[in-house]
């Protein structure tokens, strides 16, 4: 067992070091990359700390103790800030999130640093860190991280939904990897919390369960960290964030004045004409802003038309037209020699996965099943 732990901890340390190197070699680092650097530095210290415990390396334990001890209360708001940094402007983002790091700072001052000092110098006044009540406090760490993972998942879900208001293709902006990381971390922390509760009532297990959680976390984060190095940044317009509470993709035309309805109706007719004649949806990189310029309007006005008046999103509207274009080409002899994927690329899709998913959503059939009905 010790040999396996040794192998995973050493391997994980090497992988984390490589990821850090890839992140740090970039000359112009985005805020999201800087946050990941801090995150992986903490993870590196945690890995080294448990390796040191495994081999009883006292000096290394003491070097890594504080970063390891504040790891959980620091990583929780770091993940929250990281998700924000992927979608929002960097200006004042860190400043507005500093309050979230107060618990980590307090923990370092009153728990982590005193514990290390007591271990080295046996200062009597710091003996409170050995109190039995500290167990409850330590378990609050897990609950704290679980709470932040949940709100981070909800935040990610919200931002991914808002991306559909602006982009017609999301294959370039695939954030499933961070969703997997958050859910995987939540599972590991929940499992660790359950083990600790069990031990508090029924006694300790024969082997240290913390190693299982740490090894699982290292494997998960190291694997998914690669995608973080090459993540795509999606900058959401301010008006989408501000109007999100009002625009939940529900029909609100009844709340519009007659003049607003008339204005939207004119813009909708113009939109329909442009979509049918110029077919801008065939451009795989079409965005809300690009289409708004073709209509001689603003992206905010176009977004309001789609979300409030037409009860849809830019993403859904454009892909509906793309599916109709694919259905037309399936029936055309000019495209007999094209594969279904080739036709989808001609009509503005960028990936096979999104093509299959959206086509089935619009028609109720897979592309191949739909083509069979034409025969």
């Amino acid at each position: 067992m010790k040999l396996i732990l040794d192998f995973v901890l050493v391997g994980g340390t090497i992988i984390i070091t490589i990821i850090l190197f890839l992140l740090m070699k970039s000359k112009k680092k985005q805020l999201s990359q800087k946050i990941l650097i801090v995150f992986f530095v903490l993870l590196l210290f945690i890995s080294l700390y448990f390796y040191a415990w495994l081999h009883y390396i006292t000096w290394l334990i003491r070097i890594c103790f504080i970063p390891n001890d504040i790891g959980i209360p620091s990583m929780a708001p770091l993940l929250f800030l990281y998700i924000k940094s992927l979608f929002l402007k960097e200006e004042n983002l860190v400043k507005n999130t500093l309050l979230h790091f107060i618990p980590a700072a307090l923990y370092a001052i009153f728990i982590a640093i005193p514990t290390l000092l007591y271990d080295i110098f046996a200062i009597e006044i710091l003996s409170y860190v050995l109190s039995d009540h500290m167990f409850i406090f330590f378990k609050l760490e897990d609950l704290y991280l679980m709470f932040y993972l949940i709100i981070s998942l909800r935040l990610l879900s919200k931002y991914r939904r808002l991306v559909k208001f602006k982009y017609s293709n999301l294959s370039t902006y695939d954030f499933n990897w961070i969703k997997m990381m958050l859910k995987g971390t939540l599972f590991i922390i929940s499992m660790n919390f359950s083990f600790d509760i069990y031990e508090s009532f029924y006694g300790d297990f024969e082997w240290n369960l913390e190693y299982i959680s740490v090894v699982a976390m290292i494997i998960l984060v190291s694997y998914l960290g690669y995608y973080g190095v090459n993540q795509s940044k999606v900058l959401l317009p301010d008006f989408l964030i501000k109007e999100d509470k009002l625009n939940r993709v529900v029909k609100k035309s009844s709340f519009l004045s007659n003049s607003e309805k008339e204005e939207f109706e004119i813009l909708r007719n113009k939109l329909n004409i442009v979509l049918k004649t110029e077919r801008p949806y065939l451009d795989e990189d079409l965005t809300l802003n690009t289409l708004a310029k073709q209509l001689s309007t603003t992206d905010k006005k176009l977004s309001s038309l789609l979300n409030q008046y037409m009860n849809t999103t830019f993403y859904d509207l454009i892909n509906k037209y793309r599916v109709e274009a694919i259905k037309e080409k399936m029936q055309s002899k000019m495209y007999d020699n094209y594969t279904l994927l080739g036709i989808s690329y001609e009509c503005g899709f960028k990936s096979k996965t999104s093509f299959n998913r959206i086509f089935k959503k619009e028609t109720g059939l897979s592309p191949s099943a739909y083509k069979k009905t034409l025969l």
Side-chain angles (χ1 to χ4, degrees):
M1 185 65 181
K2 184 176 179 180
L3 186 62
I4 295 174
L5 286 172
D6 193 41
F7 174 79
V8 174
L9 287 171
V10 172
T13 301
I14 293 172
I15 292 171
I16 293 168
T17 304
I18 292 171
I19 294 172
L20 275 171
F21 172 76
L22 293 174
L23 284 167
M24 296 180 74
K25 76 172 186 177
S26 175
K27 293 181 179 179
K28 294 183 179 179
K29 298 181 183 68
Q30 298 178 349
L31 176 60
S32 56
Q33 292 173 312
K34 293 176 182 177
I35 295 169
L36 276 185
I37 289 173
V38 177
F39 182 86
F40 278 100
V41 166
L42 285 173
L43 194 64
L44 179 63
F45 274 109
I46 291 172
S47 177
L48 290 172
Y49 176 81
F50 278 88
Y51 176 83
W53 261 111
L54 189 65
H55 296 281
Y56 307 107
I57 307 173
T58 305
W59 64 269
L60 186 57
I61 291 173
R62 289 175 174 173
I63 289 174
C64 300
F65 179 81
I66 292 177
N68 170 77
D69 220 33
I70 65 170
I72 289 179
S74 299
M75 286 180 174
L78 270 175
L79 288 171
F80 181 71
L81 177 59
Y82 176 69
I83 292 172
K84 284 194 166 190
S85 70
L86 290 175
F87 297 93
L88 305 181
K89 292 180 180 178
E90 295 184 5
E91 185 181 0
N92 296 325
L93 194 57
V94 174
K95 182 181 178 181
N96 295 336
T97 316
L98 282 177
L99 285 174
H100 295 267
F101 291 90
I102 290 178
L106 293 175
Y107 184 90
I109 294 169
F110 295 105
I111 304 296
I113 295 174
T115 301
L116 180 62
L117 292 175
Y118 182 79
D119 177 66
I120 298 173
F121 304 108
I123 303 172
E124 187 60 31
I125 197 174
L126 301 178
S127 61
Y128 69 88
V129 296
L130 302 179
S131 170
D132 293 337
H133 300 295
M134 282 295 168
F135 172 80
I136 299 174
F137 190 84
F138 293 148
K139 290 306 102 191
L140 288 176
E141 276 189 325
D142 289 342
L143 291 175
Y144 179 73
L145 179 54
M146 289 161 65
F147 168 76
Y148 263 95
L149 288 170
I150 291 170
I151 63 172
S152 295
L153 278 166
R154 293 186 63 180
L155 188 67
L156 178 64
S157 177
K158 170 188 171 181
Y159 287 160
R160 290 180 69 183
R161 175 172 54 80
L162 290 179
V163 167
K164 290 187 176 183
F165 287 29
K166 185 181 179 183
Y167 296 94
S168 63
N169 258 315
L170 303 183
S171 55
T172 308
Y173 311 106
D174 184 8
F175 292 95
N176 282 327
W177 66 272
I178 190 169
K179 184 179 180 181
M180 287 174 58
M181 186 176 82
L182 292 172
K183 285 188 172 181
T185 305
L186 182 60
F187 173 77
I188 293 168
I189 297 299
S190 301
M191 180 181 66
N192 185 62
F193 182 77
S194 300
F195 285 155
D196 286 340
I197 295 299
Y198 178 89
E199 286 185 327
S200 65
F201 286 100
Y202 300 103
D204 294 343
F205 288 94
E206 292 183 6
W207 26 278
N208 192 344
L209 293 175
E210 284 190 353
Y211 279 107
I212 297 177
S213 300
V214 170
V215 168
M217 182 71 72
I218 288 172
I219 293 173
L220 173 70
V221 178
S222 298
Y223 172 71
L224 297 174
Y226 169 78
Y227 297 97
V229 174
N230 300 289
Q231 90 283 336
S232 300
K233 185 176 176 66
V234 180
L235 187 61
L236 290 171
D238 290 338
F239 73 85
L240 282 182
I241 304 297
K242 293 175 182 177
E243 293 181 359
D244 181 51
K245 293 181 180 179
L246 299 175
N247 300 331
R248 297 290 183 179
V249 198
V250 295
K251 192 172 183 179
K252 293 188 176 183
S253 57
S254 57
F255 297 100
L256 299 172
S257 66
N258 289 332
S259 61
E260 287 175 323
K261 288 180 182 179
E262 184 178 350
E263 184 182 2
F264 276 141
E265 191 61 32
I266 293 171
L267 185 58
R268 183 171 73 170
N269 291 334
K270 191 174 182 180
L271 172 64
N272 288 334
I273 292 171
V274 168
L275 288 173
K276 289 177 181 178
T277 58
E278 299 183 25
R279 308 182 85 183
Y281 51 83
L282 298 180
D283 177 9
E284 62 180 24
D285 294 317
L286 182 68
T287 65
L288 181 75
N289 188 49
T290 305
L291 184 57
K293 288 179 180 178
Q294 289 182 255
L295 297 170
S296 300
T297 188
T298 63
D299 52 352
K300 183 177 181 180
K301 180 66 72 175
L302 178 57
S303 178
S304 297
L305 167 73
L306 297 174
N307 305 327
Q308 294 184 41
Y309 194 72
M310 295 177 63
N311 192 29
T312 188
T313 65
F314 174 72
Y315 178 85
D316 290 336
L317 177 71
I318 296 303
N319 284 304
K320 183 177 181 179
Y321 272 87
R322 285 172 175 164
V323 169
E324 290 301 316
I326 289 171
K327 288 161 67 177
E328 289 179 14
K329 285 179 170 54
M330 281 184 180
Q331 299 177 63
S332 173
K333 291 183 179 181
M334 292 178 59
Y335 290 88
D336 283 347
N337 295 327
Y338 278 68
T339 64
L340 290 174
L341 188 59
I343 293 175
S344 75
Y345 289 155
E346 286 283 310
C347 295
F349 284 100
K350 296 181 77 171
S351 75
K352 182 179 180 180
T353 304
S354 61
F355 161 54
N356 288 330
R357 185 185 69 253
I358 294 169
F359 191 93
K360 189 169 184 178
K361 177 186 175 184
E362 292 293 331
T363 65
L365 296 171
S366 66
S368 56
Y370 182 85
K371 190 172 183 178
K372 287 179 182 178
T373 64
L374 300 177
L375 300 175

